[in-house]
Amino acid sequence: MMVSDEAKAVHAAYPAVDLHADTLMWTRWLGYDLHARHTPPLPWAALGGHVDIPRMREGGMAAQFFSLVSLPLRERGAGLARAVDEQIDALVEAIERRPRALRLVKRADEIRACEDEGQVAALLGIEGAHALEGDLDRVAHFARRGVRYMGLLHFSANEAGFPAYGRGRDDERGLTAWGRDLVARCEDASVLVDLAHINRRGFLDACAMATRPPIVSHTGVLGVFDHWRNIDDAQLRAVADKGGCVGVIFYPRYLGGNGLEPVVKHMLHILDVVGEDVPALGSDWDGFIVPTSPLKDPTGLPLLTEALLAAGVHERVIGKILRRNVLRVLEAG
């Protein structure tokens, strides 16, 4: 698929912001270099090696949210919170090596400043409140280190609640009292609440109590494809009602097919149900997924802009999907 001059112009006007990539997990485990351009050898190409600064620049990206992953089974005895700190340390080291290329930021105006300076902006989010190890005071600690969103759940139950799928799943139980305290602590610390992976009841509980916009960093929608990982229209409305945004994942297994068309269908459904202020990018690059072929790494993002134009999405709305919805939530949260 070729990229038209019109799509190139639109894409250049709205440098993209993606809500979720697990790249720092690979940096911590394998020494993956953010500054080097990678062509991952098989079989790793199916699992990671999707994101680096050269390809982010080529794909017209302004900023990437790097998710901080701690796996309860893998990290047992080593410290879940320490695993998060070590990933932040890895990012800090990458920035110190080439500060003119990469900068850790928290705010929308800082992303714009990075663009002016020719830097790529890095933001941080934690995937799963198990990383706090039951200590709510760690919210402030991680906020001071640059964390901008907190995912309440991942693939296992924790003190906050229960996953949509995974160890300890319980669809009948919602956000715990500790989870409610966590939402309040996050809002106090200007840490966005991320509702990816949490079960439906906990999702709606968190939205009901939210006083700041929540996000869903990476997901599909049930209105397009029936899968446990995807969220329904009521969940979309709950996020929209609080001014939040929803990042569409690039994983064919959750989208219902490979290629750009399924990605666009999920975005169009969000537009139809809750309007243009909600959809965003939530790739899940480097997250043990095989991304949809045209979006196997950031260099394919102009193809997504082309596909959205071909689907009749207005340039102004594409700008919201690529970046402006996320920037608005950052400013409000």
Side-chain angles (χ1 to χ4, degrees), residues 59-230:
M61 290 191 71
Q64 176 68 65
F65 275 84
F66 291 106
S67 175
L68 304 167
V69 180
S70 57
L71 304 177
L73 294 178
R74 179 184 175 93
E75 312 292 350
R76 181 174 293 173
L80 299 171
R82 191 175 78 180
V84 171
D85 273 319
E86 287 175 355
Q87 289 167 82
I88 299 174
D89 292 343
L91 177 62
V92 169
E93 187 277 332
I95 292 169
E96 289 175 345
R97 279 194 289 119
R98 296 189 61 183
R100 294 184 180 179
L102 184 64
R103 180 181 169 193
L104 176 60
V105 306
K106 295 179 71 174
R107 304 191 311 270
D109 64 311
E110 292 176 315
I111 294 174
R112 298 186 185 100
C114 285
E115 294 174 72
D116 292 341
E117 296 295 325
Q119 297 168 304
V120 171
L123 300 98
L124 295 172
I126 291 176
E127 189 161 32
H130 57 274
L132 302 177
E133 298 181 291
D135 185 355
L136 289 170
D137 289 339
R138 285 197 167 103
V139 173
H141 163 75
F142 287 126
R144 287 191 296 270
R145 295 213 67 191
V147 168
R148 195 60 216 273
Y149 73 65
M150 172 68 67
L152 301 184
L153 270 293
H154 198 200
F155 281 116
S156 59
N158 63 41
E159 293 88 349
F162 305 89
Y165 181 84
R167 187 160 51 91
R169 176 179 177 177
D170 186 339
D171 295 342
E172 301 305 314
R173 300 171 69 185
L175 206 61
T176 66
W178 191 93
R180 292 176 182 277
D181 289 342
L182 174 58
V183 171
R185 287 285 191 106
C186 286
E187 292 190 341
D188 288 345
S190 294
V191 173
L192 301 169
V193 173
D194 176 21
L195 300 174
H197 288 286
I198 193 171
N199 68 358
R200 186 178 188 273
R201 186 164 178 179
F203 186 113
L204 296 176
D205 286 345
C207 286
M209 69 170 293
T211 63
R212 297 191 180 204
I215 66 168
V216 188
S217 63
H218 57 306
T219 191
V221 292
L222 283 168
V224 176
F225 184 63
D226 187 4
H227 193 282
W228 62 262
R229 183 65 178 81
N230 296 342

